[in-house]
């Protein structure tokens, strides 16, 4: 049976990866709802079949557009968010509006229409781990967010859980680790360093560079979300990760190596306020209960392909680059 999906934030990095994935691997049709903030990109949805993919420019914080679109679909996959920690430190207010009010509007609409809902969230809701902690995050780890971004994502998760419990909304949640791959905004760590190097600028590590992130390819995140949408248990939270822990320094050294530069050709810059030390995901339930497996198991190969994508798609990222670097310059990063 084919479905009509509403994908919020489908012009962003992971939302667009999911739209491409759904169109390639199912017969479902997709309506993207995206307000095209600085992070939304028309070019990320180029060359998709128009009869199966419609794009609506609109705001998840606008209850009218949300109601109209939810009334017409079988399921909603909610990616739309303000997503960058550094921006949330400079100005938290859009994060409250989009991440909290937007999720609230969608929940009220799916509640009215009895529509299946999948909420996309992050491992950052759990706070951070010590570098030597043998534990990893699981679905029962207590919430302990550090930044305005992660606090609003945690709040949005709790709204979803309350709407399941109190109103019987048919929702699942997923909390994923750090994504990489093509079409990621140049404000984020990996694309920033790649495009800096293409511009002849040395990579910039916040603080000591010992902070650890658990990397997963956006294509693997997408296949996990589709699997949860198809087979996930209502009310459940699934953690998505691919055992990709690396320190930021290791990632920068790998990028430098792949781009033909000496491994120590980087600078340390001001640390992020409240900088989480380490994230790590235990995705055993997703693998064991839903049979999901990541395809991109070789991080260095995935990184090399990502570098090639940025080399070949300067037209996509160039318009964002100068303004992004100007913002970082203001805070010594
Ligand atoms: P992104 O910033 O690249 O894209 C966000 C998209 O949402 C953009 O297209 C933007 O225009 C749209 N948007 C923002 N505000 C909106 C609004 N009010 N109404 C409609 N659309 C709006 O983000 P991303 O990295 O693709 O993240 C997508 C989702 O995945 C987010 O919910 C994020 O919390 C979650 N997540 C991201 C990561 C990661 O590593 N990037 C990891 C785990 C979870
Ligand atoms: O120039 C940089 N130098 C640097 O050392 C930048 C931009 C980042 N960093 C560090 C900060 C983090 O330790 O790299 C790490 C990754 O930074 P980001 O790309 O900003 O990601 P992070 O803060 O870990 O959050 C990401 O993963 C979880 C996404 O942006 C979130 O949306 C997601 O929820």
């Amino acid at each position: 049976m084919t479905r009509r999906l509403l994908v919020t934030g489908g012009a962003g990095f992971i939302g667009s990866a999911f739209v491409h994935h759904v169109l390639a691997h199912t017969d479902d049709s997709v309506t993207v709802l995206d307000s095209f903030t600085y992070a939304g990109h028309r070019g990320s949805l180029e060359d998709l079949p128009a009869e199966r993919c419609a794009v609506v420019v609109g705001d998840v914080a606008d209850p009218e557009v949300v109601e109209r679109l939810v009334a017409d679909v079988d399921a909603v996959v909610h990616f739309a968010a303000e997503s960058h920690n550094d921006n949330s430190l400079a100005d938290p207010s859009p994060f409250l509006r989009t991440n909290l009010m937007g999720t609230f509007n969608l929940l009220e609409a799916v509640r009215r229409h009895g529509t299946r809902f999948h909420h996309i969230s992050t491992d950052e809701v759990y706070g951070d781990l010590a570098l030597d902690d043998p534990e990893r995050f699981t679905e029962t780890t207590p919430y302990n967010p550090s930044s305005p971004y992660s606090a609003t994502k945690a709040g949005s998760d709790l709204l979803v859980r309350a709407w399941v419990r109190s109103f019987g909304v048919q929702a699942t949640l997923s909390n994923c680790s750090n994504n990489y791959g093509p079409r990621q905004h140049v404000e984020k760590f990996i694309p920033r360093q790649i495009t800096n190097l293409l511009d002849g600028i040395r990579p910039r590590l916040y603080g000591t560079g010992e902070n650890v992130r658990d990397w997963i390819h956006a294509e693997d995140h997408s296949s996990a979300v589709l699997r949860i949408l198809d087979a996930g248990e209502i009310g459940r939270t699934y953690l998505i990760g691919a055992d990709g822990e690396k320190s930021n320094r290791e990632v920068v050294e790998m990028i430098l190596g792949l781009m033909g530069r000496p491994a120590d050709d980087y600078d340390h810059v001001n640390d992020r306020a409240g900088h989480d030390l380490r994230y790590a995901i235990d995705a055993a339930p997703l693998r064991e209960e839903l049979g999901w497996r990541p395809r991109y198991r070789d991080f260095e190969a995935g990184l090399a392909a990502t570098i090639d994508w940025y080399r070949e798609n300067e037209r996509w990222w160039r318009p964002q680059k100068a303004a992004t670097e100007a913002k970082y310059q203001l805070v010594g990063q």
Side-chain angles (χ1 to χ4, degrees):
M1 204 185 68
T2 65
R3 288 172 298 205
R4 292 160 307 164
L5 304 181
L6 179 64
V7 178
T8 73
F13 164 46
I14 308 171
S16 64
F18 181 73
V19 172
H20 283 269
H21 186 83
V22 165
L23 294 177
H25 295 277
T26 73
D27 295 323
D28 295 344
S29 62
V30 171
T31 299
V32 168
L33 170 61
D34 200 296
S35 61
F36 289 86
T37 66
Y38 77 97
H41 205 308
R42 285 267 169 201
S44 299
L45 296 170
E46 259 171 11
D47 303 327
L48 293 172
E51 66 287 0
R52 287 180 61 209
C53 181
V55 178
V56 175
V57 181
D59 190 334
V60 290
D62 171 358
E64 281 171 28
V65 70
V66 165
E67 165 61 26
R68 179 165 62 78
L69 295 178
V70 169
D72 245 11
V73 295
D74 302 306
V76 177
V77 187
H78 177 35
F79 289 91
E82 286 292 339
S83 69
H84 193 39
N85 277 299
D86 292 321
N87 292 343
S88 83
L89 296 167
D91 178 11
S93 69
F95 290 73
L96 275 83
R97 183 172 182 279
T98 294
N99 301 0
L100 292 170
M101 286 310 293
T103 302
F104 164 70
N105 283 330
L106 285 155
L107 285 169
E108 285 292 83
V110 295
R111 175 186 170 196
R112 282 190 291 272
H113 294 280
T115 311
R116 174 85 170 83
F117 185 73
H118 181 73
H119 180 64
I120 303 294
S121 193
T122 167
D123 58 1
E124 296 193 22
V125 300
Y126 302 114
D128 60 356
L129 297 162
L131 292 179
D132 58 356
D133 192 332
E135 297 298 314
R136 298 188 289 170
F137 299 136
T138 70
E139 65 190 277
T140 58
T141 302
Y143 275 41
N144 189 24
S146 313
S147 73
Y149 161 68
S150 50
T152 58
K153 291 299 290 187
S156 69
D157 292 10
L158 297 181
L159 291 175
V160 179
R161 290 180 181 198
W163 261 243
V164 170
R165 166 109 185 211
S166 299
F167 305 123
V169 161
Q170 301 288 295
T172 41
L173 302 91
S174 55
N175 295 72
C176 187
S177 60
N178 281 61
N179 284 222
Y180 76 99
R183 300 186 291 264
Q184 185 170 31
H185 195 280
V186 291
E187 70 191 355
K188 302 297 199 305
F189 177 54
I190 288 178
R192 183 181 186 207
Q193 315 312 332
I194 295 170
T195 53
N196 273 356
L197 281 165
L198 292 174
D199 277 350
I201 303 167
R202 283 154 66 98
R204 300 194 166 167
L205 274 178
Y206 292 177
T208 60
E210 69 185 342
N211 306 62
V212 169
R213 296 295 181 265
D214 188 353
W215 294 98
I216 181 173
H217 198 282
E219 177 70 20
D220 284 333
H221 187 180
S222 299
S223 68
V225 169
L226 191 58
R227 185 75 197 122
I228 296 166
L229 192 64
D230 288 339
E233 186 188 327
I234 297 301
R236 235 350 238 287
T237 292
Y238 294 90
L239 270 65
I240 305 175
D243 303 328
E245 280 188 70
K246 298 257 175 309
S247 74
N248 294 339
R249 193 182 317 120
E250 285 176 281
V251 173
V252 156
E253 286 171 357
M254 215 179 261
I255 294 172
L256 283 162
L258 289 166
M259 295 182 76
R261 303 277 286 265
D264 61 353
D265 201 11
Y266 59 80
D267 293 315
H268 291 278
V269 294
N270 289 341
D271 207 353
R272 172 183 284 171
H275 196 177
D276 280 338
L277 194 52
R278 171 172 162 245
Y279 307 137
I281 289 271
D282 177 358
L286 180 64
R287 289 168 182 258
E288 286 161 19
E289 294 171 33
L290 299 188
W292 171 82
R293 294 280 179 280
R295 270 188 47 221
Y296 290 79
R297 286 164 210 220
D298 180 343
F299 177 72
E300 192 161 9
L303 195 57
T306 303
I307 292 169
D308 288 344
W309 189 88
Y310 282 92
R311 268 194 221 286
E312 289 157 17
N313 289 277
E314 182 171 346
R315 198 170 56 94
W316 184 95
W317 59 264
R318 175 60 69 196
Q320 315 275 350
K321 185 65 183 165
T324 304
E325 286 306 310
K327 272 205 277 184
Y328 279 125
Q329 211 163 16
L330 288 176
V331 290
Q333 290 179 328

